[in-house]
Amino acid sequence: MKTFNYIILTLFIAGLAACQQDESIETKKEALKSKRQELQTIKEEITKLETEISSLDPEFGKQNRKATLITTLPVGQSKFEHFVEISGSVKSRRNVLISAENMGNIQTIAVKEGSEVARGQLLLSMDTELYQRGMEQLETEYALAKTMFEKQENLWKQNIGTEVQYLQAKNRKEGLERQIANIKTQIAKSQVRAPFDGTIEEVIVKVGEMATTGTPLIRIVNHREMYVKADLSEAYIGKFKKGDKLIISFPSAGQDIQSVISSVGQVIDENNRTFTIEANLPETAFKIKPNLIAVLKIKDFEVADAKVVPSKLIQKDNTGEFVFITTGDSTASVAKKVQISRGVTYKNQTLITEGLVGNELLVNEGFKDVTDGAKVKVVNNIL
């Protein structure tokens, strides 16, 4: 009992220590964030004081104010597009696994993986010995039944015999005809043929193996009727429709092609809260196969004449988000802090909705080392 209590106490202490450690990490993160903000404020206060002192004492400015080396970048002014990117995979509308329709031993396989085949072309054949034996027996019985029917029919036409005898002979002959037709169908099914033009993707069986009804034999795919299928979050319901343009990217091939949405699903999957969209694949110069990973890029936002800056240059303080720009000329440039309002971000570029005119020069390299009003020196490269 003492041992049990000791184990419980040990586990409790370990759990408490873990909680305290987590709390300590979060506390330190918050403290670091606060100190960084304080440092930025102190830097700005130092710069302000240096500027004020320099205006009163020119010598002080010459001795103490050193320009920070920076590079600049113009504010981008161009069309800004935002795309929704979702992963999907290539599917084929004709991707068929052909199975055996009857039982038999595999005698010949006429194709191999990668073979191009035409509709109706022989793929493989199975042993039909049992069916042939049955056919021979039925044909013998049929010959007798046909003779008996013909004789009975002649007698019936002469009003000799009964109608029942005539009908029995007729039924016997027709029944055997149906059985013979059945066996011929089974023999035909023992020869497996291509249901459409395509490529043999997989040959599952080997010569000599026994196939039973439903045994998978060969997979055939038509590569000219493929499409991309992807799942889109329900948050985008109503935003896209059939016919909308999109870009299909194939990461493994490093290729992009243009297409349109061919189908939009009308049902939400209750497990992952998505609906499906499909896009047809046009003819391509590179090889595409079913189940190949594809990325659909669908444009959901566009601004014709947008002001865009690299996302990394946007900083944050107590009053909001800002960037640094340069003012003055090449001999006396200073950094200026400009408060901004941002829009959406795509591929590390952010749309600026307020704060910039569009003709400014952004502080690029060295943007974390400057403060509002600090002297800067623009250079081509910073080592």
Side-chain angles (χ1 to χ4, degrees):
M1 188 65 179
K2 288 182 179 180
T3 302
F4 177 76
N5 290 337
Y6 176 75
I7 293 172
I8 295 297
L9 180 60
T10 302
L11 292 174
F12 175 77
I13 293 172
L16 182 60
C19 291
Q20 289 176 342
Q21 184 177 5
D22 290 342
E23 290 178 0
S24 177
I25 291 172
E26 292 303 319
T27 301
K28 288 180 179 179
K29 285 182 179 180
E30 288 298 320
L32 177 60
K33 181 179 178 181
S34 176
K35 294 298 182 183
R36 282 176 175 170
Q37 291 176 348
E38 289 176 11
L39 178 60
Q40 181 66 28
T41 302
I42 291 171
K43 282 183 177 182
E44 292 176 358
E45 290 175 353
I46 290 173
T47 300
K48 184 179 179 182
L49 288 170
E50 286 178 342
T51 302
E52 291 175 353
I53 294 172
S54 295
S55 64
L56 300 173
D57 183 2
E59 293 301 318
F60 174 85
K62 292 179 182 178
Q63 296 173 2
N64 295 282
R65 297 193 68 194
K66 293 183 179 180
T68 303
L69 299 180
I70 65 166
T71 61
T72 58
L73 187 71
V75 174
Q77 280 192 287
S78 61
K79 182 168 70 173
F80 180 82
E81 297 175 318
H82 183 272
F83 291 83
V84 175
E85 297 188 8
I86 50 174
S87 294
S89 60
V90 176
K91 304 292 182 183
S92 174
R93 301 193 189 281
R94 291 195 174 185
N95 182 355
V96 176
L97 181 61
I98 301 174
S99 299
E101 295 187 66
N102 54 21
M103 184 174 68
N105 189 274
I106 305 297
Q107 279 192 325
T108 61
I109 298 176
V111 294
K112 58 183 179 180
E113 293 176 356
S115 300
E116 297 288 337
V117 296
R119 180 179 180 182
Q121 182 176 330
L122 179 66
L123 304 180
L124 62 78
S125 59
M126 295 184 287
D127 178 31
T128 59
E129 183 179 355
L130 290 176
Y131 294 113
Q132 293 291 353
R133 288 179 182 177
M135 175 71 79
E136 290 172 2
Q137 182 178 347
L138 286 174
E139 286 176 341
T140 301
E141 293 179 12
Y142 175 72
L144 177 60
K146 183 180 179 183
T147 300
M148 293 299 295
F149 169 72
E150 289 172 350
K151 289 183 178 181
Q152 194 65 47
E153 185 179 36
N154 288 333
L155 291 173
W156 176 247
K157 288 178 180 178
Q158 300 172 31
N159 294 321
I160 300 173
T162 65
E163 183 179 8
V164 171
Q165 290 174 318
Y166 167 73
L167 292 175
Q168 285 176 338
K170 181 181 179 182
N171 184 63
R172 173 66 176 165
K173 179 184 78 75
E174 292 177 347
L176 288 170
E177 286 174 345
R178 288 192 293 272
Q179 289 183 53
I180 290 171
N182 253 346
I183 288 188
K184 286 181 178 180
T185 300
Q186 295 303 317
I187 291 174
K189 288 181 178 179
S190 295
Q191 290 188 328
V192 180
R193 298 182 179 274
F196 50 79
D197 297 348
T199 304
I200 302 302
E201 287 294 322
E202 185 180 11
V203 178
I204 301 171
V205 293
K206 297 178 182 178
V207 173
E209 290 183 349
M210 177 62 69
T212 58
T213 303
T215 299
L217 304 173
I218 290 174
R219 182 179 293 279
I220 180 172
V221 176
N222 187 318
H223 292 286
R224 290 184 292 275
E225 296 186 40
M226 295 193 292
Y227 64 99
V228 174
K229 182 178 180 181
D231 294 330
L232 189 60
S233 169
E234 64 180 353
Y236 295 100
I237 290 178
K239 290 190 176 181
F240 306 113
K241 63 183 183 302
K242 182 178 178 180
D244 284 351
K245 294 181 180 180
L246 52 74
I247 300 170
I248 304 176
S249 295
F250 298 94
S252 60
Q255 299 284 343
D256 291 350
I257 59 174
Q258 302 286 333
S259 186
V260 296
I261 296 176
S262 59
S263 173
V264 178
Q266 301 301 311
V267 178
I268 301 295
D269 189 316
E270 61 181 8
N271 294 320
N272 57 19
R273 311 309 304 172
T274 63
F275 60 96
T276 60
I277 63 169
E278 296 178 4
N280 289 330
L281 280 177
E283 291 289 335
T284 60
F286 56 96
K287 191 70 173 178
I288 296 178
K289 292 188 175 184
N291 299 321
L292 181 68
I293 294 298
V295 177
L296 298 184
K297 300 178 181 179
I298 318 171
K299 185 164 59 178
D300 67 334
F301 180 80
E302 177 182 287
V303 177
D305 188 16
K307 291 178 280 293
V308 181
V309 303
S311 303
K312 68 176 184 178
L313 300 184
I314 300 175
Q315 301 183 70
K316 192 172 183 179
D317 60 13
N318 294 330
T319 59
E321 293 180 314
F322 66 92
V323 293
F324 282 113
I325 65 171
T326 61
T327 60
D329 54 34
S330 58
T331 58
S333 295
V334 297
K336 181 181 178 182
K337 182 178 181 181
V338 178
Q339 300 293 144
I340 60 165
S341 295
R342 69 156 72 193
V344 294
T345 296
Y346 184 67
K347 289 194 177 298
N348 300 318
Q349 296 291 312
T350 298
L351 173 68
I352 304 302
T353 56
E354 293 180 7
L356 296 176
V357 176
N359 58 358
E360 297 92 346
L361 284 176
L362 299 166
V363 177
N364 184 21
E365 294 182 67
F367 73 97
K368 289 187 177 180
D369 300 324
V370 300
T371 57
D372 190 24
K375 288 180 63 177
V376 294
K377 182 179 180 180
V378 179
V379 295
N380 292 329
N381 295 293
I382 296 179
L383 299 179

